[in-house]
Amino acid sequence: MNAKTHLSARLTPDQAAALAGRATITIYRALEAGLLHGTQQTTRGRWSIRPECLDAWLDGDKCTHKAGTQKIVHLKIAN
């Protein structure tokens, strides 16, 4: 299988909390603050976390695929 077509496993916040030995709310807070890298398909959608991102967060590091990047902030402009 080609590395580009291989999908890594993803964790839910509940699964990440269980693996990390942390409360689920702690995982959500870290995701919302941009401290733990995760993705959402839509705004306010379900979070998806790569295991390597969870490991990096627990070690106090940025995950390797996000190193050197900044958090993107979406602003809503009122009409």
Side-chain angles (χ1 to χ4, degrees):
M1 179 179 272
N2 185 329
K4 291 183 180 181
T5 60
H6 175 70
L7 296 175
S8 64
R10 300 290 198 264
L11 302 169
T12 65
D14 287 333
Q15 292 169 327
L19 286 171
R22 306 288 171 90
T24 302
I25 190 68
T26 302
I27 300 298
Y28 278 110
R29 287 177 180 158
L31 288 164
E32 292 293 337
L35 301 173
L36 171 59
H37 178 248
T39 57
Q40 293 175 299
Q41 291 295 321
T42 60
T43 303
R44 300 184 66 153
R46 294 179 185 184
W47 283 101
S48 177
I49 305 162
R50 292 182 184 193
E52 60 268 23
C53 295
L54 180 62
D55 287 338
W57 176 69
L58 289 170
D59 292 340
D61 299 325
K62 277 193 168 188
C63 45
T64 56
H65 68 280
K66 295 300 285 184
T69 63
Q70 296 179 351
K71 181 181 177 189
I72 297 172
V73 178
H74 299 279
L75 300 175
K76 291 187 177 183
I77 300 173
N79 292 331

